[in-house]
Amino acid sequence: MYRWHVMERIAERRLIAIVRAQSAQAAVAAALRAVDAGLDVVEVSLTTPGALQAVEQVVRARPEAVVGAGTVLDEASARLAALAGARFLVSPSTHRAVLSTGHRYGLAVLPGVATPTEIVAALEAGADAVKLFPARASSPAVLRDVLQALPQAPVVPTGGVTADNAPEWIAAGAVACGVGGALGAGDPAGLLAAVRAAR
């Protein structure tokens, strides 16, 4: 799967299910629950102990899913995630080494941004999309204003996105939303239904 196919899937699904857990086993279980509920774009955060093993297991168990690695901060982590089978990388900030390594291995890369200046810098560095983080520090109204000036920016709000506000982010122009805490707090299928209704 080429990285533009990954971005097509993300744009089509409108949701990235973010998994953070206390162990690889718990991460695999959470990721499989999300995929089975229809959230087949899953990011496993590297803050999870054994995260790379979890990525490998989810890729093997659900080959139809698009599995990525999150909280990727350096070139070594990017390469290991690629070797584990990740199809995309997400970072809380922009790291050129992560972008270049991810692209070297054919992965889509979504670096973190918080301002229009950072959005432009990330896109100039080759980002496939940008992760607006933390989304709770912004709002759908602010995103709408930013996209009036930068309509070409594929933005994925993450951090504070819930089933209640995900449709607002999509309506404001977000290409997709990253949802983590809301998955553990509720029903993944219900979250998916809310975002599908917003489309």
Side-chain angles (χ1 to χ4, degrees), residues 75-101:
E75 183 176 2
S77 298
R79 179 176 182 274
L80 290 171
L83 295 178
R87 299 306 313 146
F88 65 95
L89 306 175
V90 183
S91 301
S93 54
T94 300
H95 303 274
R96 287 183 179 270
V98 171
L99 278 157
S100 60
T101 302

Side-chain angles (χ1 to χ4, degrees), residues 3 18 44 66 68 71 98 100 106 109 116 121 123 139 142 155 164 173 179 193 199:
R3 71 183 211 246
I18 302 169
V44 178
V66 172
T71 322
V98 171
S100 60
V109 184
L123 293 176
S139 71
V142 171
V155 179
D164 291 333
V179 181
R199 288 193 295 193

Side-chain angles (χ1 to χ4, degrees), residues 126-165:
D128 296 283
V130 294
K131 167 185 172 176
L132 178 63
F133 180 78
R136 74 177 80 251
S138 186
S139 71
V142 171
L143 176 61
R144 191 175 286 110
D145 289 344
V146 169
L147 291 178
Q148 286 181 0
L150 299 171
Q152 74 279 15
V155 179
V156 181
T158 305
V161 178
T162 67
D164 291 333
N165 65 27

